[in-house]
Amino acid sequence: MTTSLEAVEEREDGVTVADVPHLDPLPPYVPVAERSAGGLPQVKLPSGHHVVHLTRYADVHKVLTDSTFGRAETNVEGGPTFFPTTLPPEMLINLDGPDHSRMRRFVTADYSANAVARLAPFLDELVTRRFADLRAQERPDLYTAVLDPIPIEVTCRFLGIPEEDVAYFRPHSPTIQKALHDDVPGLMEEFFTSYGYVTDLVTGKRPVVPGGLIERFLATRDETEPPLEDKELVGLVFAALVAIDQNVLSVLSKAALVLLSAPSLWQRAVADPDVVPQLVEEVIRLVPLGTMSTFPRVAHREVVTSEGTILPGDVVYADAFAANRDPSVYERPLVIDPDRKGKRHLQFGYGMHHCLGAALARLEIGAILTRLVREFPGLALDADPAALPWDEGALLRRPVSLPVRW
């Protein structure tokens, strides 16, 4: 692993993920020698279950786009999972079949690129304000002054959540996303505090800001058949509140770290700010949100893959993280190449469980980093990248301090 910025800059074959200290996570599973009945590699999950492990792009893509693979069956007590406990079954990520389609149709238009584009002026104002905070800091820290506050401010505007409530609910979100196994009672307490807060918003016990998504959900819930119940709306809002905020922050902070740790990439972005969205896509392709990349699924039919056969009843971990580095699909797969062409990465998922917040994430991350390289062309990391503190867990993994100078 390279910690010298000069060494990163002088590589002739480009900057790789290995050149940025701690960027690559340790896998959250353990390989096992025994293959499945269909001849496929297996790994052991933190729950102790042996599951089929798919790593090739074509195989992972096949599973992610096949709606016959079920999620709900893994989200049960004693089920195969990366988490120390179950998640509410009404959350979209845990639904299958008609229930998932019904709820997905209800929200898809609100998460489209055209719909989230209305947030662009507000986002631009936020960036201006937070850049002023960065300039005013005696010891500037890009993470605390800019990257950390913006995603939750955008999320509040998007959903219609009072900003004064942030101090109450947001401290619980990182614990929920990390989903550590060492304090399950503490994790559950934080989870239900946040879940209860969202329940209060949906049921009218707490006020919402007019014009946000929660208000629209409540006004149009009867347009589905059958109408959406309170618990279903809570599942939608809770996932949006926690995931959009924390997931955007995780990708944003790691993308900033990559740029600041590799002067050649930073200088490329300064010279051509329009390349920033492509650089972001490369970081998304190569680096998962946390230590896992997708949720396990249960096969309901026989599926032939490049390495063997998935049999009905097999639990499958379709590893998008590994698929995004498949050398048969991506030439020099570990190189962070903003000029890369070819197949779309799988980090946002594919098919029915494709990430709803993908367009909003791209809008936020692209806008913030594009303005950063334009307004701070001489920005540099003011710390050894190998010594930066990190948060780490199942769905959250990121540096939590980025001291800078200019």
Side-chain angles (χ1 to χ4, degrees):
M1 180 177 292
T2 303
T3 59
S4 165
L5 298 188
E6 290 76 18
V8 172
E9 188 175 20
E10 292 173 2
R11 288 177 60 94
E12 294 183 358
D13 58 345
V15 178
T16 76
V17 289
D19 293 318
V20 182
H22 306 309
L23 192 60
D24 249 356
L26 294 174
Y29 53 76
V30 178
V32 297
E34 180 186 5
R35 293 206 162 219
S36 71
L40 289 161
Q42 295 191 109
V43 294
K44 185 172 77 171
L45 301 184
S47 62
H49 295 81
H50 289 196
V51 303
V52 170
H53 187 211
L54 301 180
T55 59
R56 296 184 181 177
Y57 186 98
D59 298 335
V60 172
H61 183 272
K62 181 180 287 188
V63 168
L64 296 183
T65 54
D66 190 333
S67 61
T68 66
F69 282 82
R71 269 285 303 132
E73 296 158 87
T74 68
N75 185 44
V76 295
E77 286 295 332
T81 179
F82 290 98
F83 292 93
T85 184
T86 58
L87 299 173
E90 61 270 13
M91 291 178 64
L92 199 58
I93 191 65
N94 296 321
L95 292 175
D96 297 319
D99 288 331
H100 182 279
S101 298
R102 166 173 153 269
M103 290 181 67
R104 182 96 186 189
R105 284 194 300 269
F106 180 72
V107 299
T108 294
D110 297 294
Y111 284 86
S112 68
N114 286 337
V116 301
R118 64 184 174 83
L119 292 166
F122 174 69
L123 175 59
D124 196 49
E125 293 173 7
L126 283 181
V127 174
T128 298
R129 189 190 318 154
R130 294 304 176 182
F131 279 7
D133 293 343
L134 180 68
R135 292 184 175 99
Q137 283 188 334
E138 184 177 345
R139 302 186 66 182
D141 189 309
L142 180 65
Y143 181 90
T144 59
V146 177
L147 308 186
D148 183 43
I150 290 180
I152 190 57
E153 292 172 311
V154 173
T155 302
C156 286
R157 173 62 67 95
F158 182 56
L159 294 176
I161 291 177
E163 287 191 19
E164 57 266 26
D165 290 356
V166 170
Y168 171 72
F169 69 78
R170 201 195 190 205
H172 306 292
S173 298
T175 301
I176 294 168
Q177 290 287 85
K178 285 189 282 188
L180 300 179
H181 293 248
D182 55 358
D183 182 14
V184 176
L187 168 63
M188 296 303 295
E189 181 179 354
E190 300 217 34
F191 180 89
F192 282 110
T193 298
S194 292
Y195 212 72
Y197 169 75
V198 174
T199 300
D200 288 348
L201 292 173
V202 169
T203 58
K205 293 181 181 179
R206 286 179 179 266
V208 298
V209 178
L213 215 54
I214 299 175
E215 183 183 61
R216 195 200 76 78
F217 285 173
L218 293 171
T220 60
R221 64 192 300 174
D222 293 337
E223 295 177 7
T224 63
E225 184 57 44
L228 291 180
E229 301 176 7
D230 281 350
K231 66 178 182 179
E232 293 175 312
L233 289 178
V234 171
L236 286 173
V237 175
F238 175 79
L241 176 61
V242 175
I244 293 177
D245 168 33
Q246 295 297 312
N247 293 356
V248 168
L249 177 55
S250 290
V251 177
L252 177 59
S253 57
K254 284 182 281 197
L257 174 64
V258 167
L259 286 174
L260 292 170
S261 298
S264 59
L265 293 179
W266 177 264
Q267 290 160 11
R268 170 75 187 277
V270 168
D272 180 15
D274 291 340
V275 83
V276 167
Q278 296 158 248
L279 276 166
V280 170
E281 288 300 312
E282 273 289 88
V283 174
I284 294 172
R285 177 182 71 85
L286 284 166
V287 185
L289 287 171
T291 55
M292 57 172 281
S293 63
T294 58
F295 291 87
R297 291 163 165 80
V298 177
H300 287 172
R301 68 182 184 90
E302 185 175 295
V303 176
V304 177
T305 75
S306 63
E307 295 187 86
T309 302
I310 300 171
L311 302 177
D314 280 351
V315 181
V316 179
Y317 175 41
D319 193 343
F321 180 37
N324 286 335
R325 299 178 174 197
D326 186 340
S328 69
V329 175
Y330 302 102
E331 184 180 357
R332 299 189 304 158
L334 300 185
V335 173
I336 302 167
D337 180 6
D339 299 314
R340 189 179 296 280
K341 308 295 182 185
K343 291 186 177 180
R344 194 174 87 185
H345 64 74
L346 302 176
Q347 202 61 268
F348 283 125
Y350 229 96
M352 65 185 291
H353 286 297
H354 179 263
C355 176
L356 271 175
L360 183 54
R362 287 183 168 113
L363 173 71
E364 288 189 59
I365 299 166
I368 295 168
L369 295 183
T370 298
R371 282 197 55 184
L372 191 70
V373 299
R374 282 179 170 151
E375 297 186 32
F376 295 87
L379 197 70
L381 195 62
D382 195 21
D384 179 355
L388 296 174
W390 283 67
D391 267 347
E392 188 158 358
L395 288 173
L396 179 157
R397 188 173 184 277
R398 60 177 179 248
V400 292
S401 178
L402 291 172
V404 290
R405 65 179 186 274
W406 58 86

